[in-house]
Amino acid sequence: MTDKTAVATAPGKVILFGEHAVVYGRPAIAAPLSHVRARASLESIENNGVILHAPDLSRKMMLSDAAEGDPLAAPLRAMQQAGLVPALSGVRLTVTSDIPIASGLGSGAAIAVAVIRAMAAYSDLPSLDAASVSRLAFEVEKQHHGTPSGIDNTVIAYETPVYFERRDPESFIEIFSPARPLILLVGDTGVRSATRHVVGDVRRQWLADRERFEDLFDACGKIAAEAKEAIALGDPKTIGLLMTQNHDWLRKMTVSSTELDTLVEAAIAAGAYGAKLSGAGRGGNMIALVSENSRDAVAVSLRKAGAVQVLESRVT
Ligand code: PMV
């Protein structure tokens, strides 16, 4: 037996504008968080089985025992179902990640993308392009939360800022780089919140009052379209105001929380251009747009207001 290994990584992400509304066809904007990553490695083993190992979560099991939708098994199965790789044997998949789980930073999609890339390398597939990786990760996302928009797998597989609109059969994807780098602080409430539950709850509310929720989604879509222009002009004041407005609409959708509102208010009070929750909400992370001058004060204020972690990220 020849010893074989393959390793791949994928970044986290933040949604700058338009979460939830993007599920209902409105535009949204997202950017990668390249310094927090998921990592997947595959190595050949003596045993014939396929071992799945997530040491951070103290999980170790055989692929044959993994439930449907298991985050480690699902990307491997999606590749097999797509006819890209044969049935596996004699392999150990190890996944680690420094992207906090259930915190709006795309950890599920990042794990899927890392596993797909590692598997492609391990199987000597001609390297898969970002669109193919994204499509496969989308199949995995569907198992995790039923009605994903596709923005997470897209921004993570392309690893570049994207303007995204869910469309059938192909979503609209425009990659861009801002006229001026955006300096973001990403503040973690420390409260975990499963995307699937929050997305499902928004759907229930939409079904109960479609008119109101369509209006809320329209307002967020309009903000995302305006933000696209402000980002292209390099106008941080407008971008910040639009972020705070987006947060207010998300509150009306009931996806904020006391912790998120407290961090958003603290960031703005300390001089951020604007701030909002990012991702599914009800916990997880918020983002604040800052300048070189305000970043330190905003970071201190976020920590004082209860952020368990504050990361800085530049969208370029
Ligand atoms: O919480 P996250 O990182 O999975 O982001 C979810 C973004 C939503 O718009 C709420 C759902 C989606 O599929 O777009």
Side-chain angles (χ1 to χ4, degrees):
M1 191 189 67
T2 51
D3 280 348
K4 233 174 138 183
T5 58
V7 179
T9 69
K13 68 100 225 295
V14 285
I15 297 192
L16 299 174
F17 291 97
E19 48 275 272
H20 289 291
V22 67
V23 175
Y24 299 81
R26 277 36 167 218
I29 302 176
L33 268 186
S34 291
H35 53 293
V36 289
R37 304 190 76 88
R39 180 177 180 278
S41 69
L42 282 152
E43 58 188 322
S44 51
I45 50 171
E46 295 292 337
N47 174 320
N48 277 337
V50 179
I51 299 172
L52 308 179
H53 190 198
D56 302 346
L57 304 175
S58 309
R59 288 188 66 211
K60 198 172 192 178
M61 67 170 101
M62 304 303 290
L63 174 61
S64 50
D65 296 332
E68 200 175 322
D70 177 274
L72 268 47
L76 297 178
R77 289 176 177 152
M79 289 183 88
Q80 280 169 5
Q81 272 155 20
L84 289 169
V85 293
L88 284 170
S89 71
V91 182
R92 181 206 318 268
L93 166 66
T94 306
V95 172
T96 55
S97 175
D98 37 43
I99 309 168
I101 294 174
S103 64
L105 300 184
S107 88
I111 287 170
V113 167
V115 172
I116 290 162
R117 289 220 169 103
M119 190 61 209
Y122 188 82
S123 316
D124 300 321
L125 289 182
S127 95
L128 291 176
D129 63 10
S132 312
V133 172
S134 177
R135 261 194 294 275
L136 286 162
F138 186 52
E139 294 308 312
V140 176
E141 286 279 277
K142 281 193 214 161
Q143 297 183 29
H144 289 161
H145 76 83
T147 58
S149 63
I151 193 169
D152 278 20
N153 49 283
T154 301
V155 64
I156 288 168
Y158 284 77
E159 200 164 346
T160 173
V162 294
Y163 182 81
F164 179 94
E165 251 179 77
R166 177 187 187 172
R167 289 187 196 160
D168 262 344
E170 268 315 287
S171 287
F172 172 78
I173 300 160
E174 187 179 316
I175 63 177
F176 71 93
S177 62
R180 284 167 63 182
L182 305 176
I183 311 174
L184 294 178
L185 295 179
V186 184
D188 191 348
T189 59
V191 178
R192 297 294 159 249
S193 164
T195 301
R196 185 159 47 94
H197 294 149
V198 189
V199 169
D201 193 40
V202 169
R203 181 159 296 269
R204 272 187 292 282
Q205 295 184 71
W206 172 71
L207 287 170
D209 190 349
R210 283 197 191 218
E211 208 177 315
R212 187 168 120 74
F213 270 72
E214 287 294 329
D215 285 350
L216 293 173
F217 298 148
D218 278 343
C220 295
K222 192 163 164 279
I223 286 173
E226 285 172 25
K228 186 186 183 198
E229 283 180 25
I231 292 169
L233 290 171
D235 174 0
K237 274 194 188 154
T238 304
I239 302 166
L241 283 175
L242 290 167
M243 284 169 66
T244 308
Q245 284 172 16
N246 195 165
H247 183 75
D248 286 337
W249 291 113
L250 289 162
R251 288 184 65 184
K252 294 192 174 95
M253 265 179 229
T254 75
V255 297
S256 192
S257 66
T258 312
E259 292 85 353
L260 284 164
D261 291 345
T262 303
L263 295 186
V264 165
E265 279 157 29
I268 294 167
Y273 290 118
K276 64 182 276 292
L277 71 85
S278 181
R282 301 245 172 101
N285 280 269
M286 51 71 70
I287 52 175
L289 182 66
V290 296
S291 64
E292 296 288 0
N293 289 337
S294 67
R295 51 187 263 231
D296 291 345
V298 176
V300 168
S301 168
L302 284 172
R303 286 200 188 89
K304 266 199 198 144
V308 295
Q309 178 170 247
V310 180
L311 297 172
E312 186 178 310
S313 173
R314 273 166 204 254
V315 181
T316 52

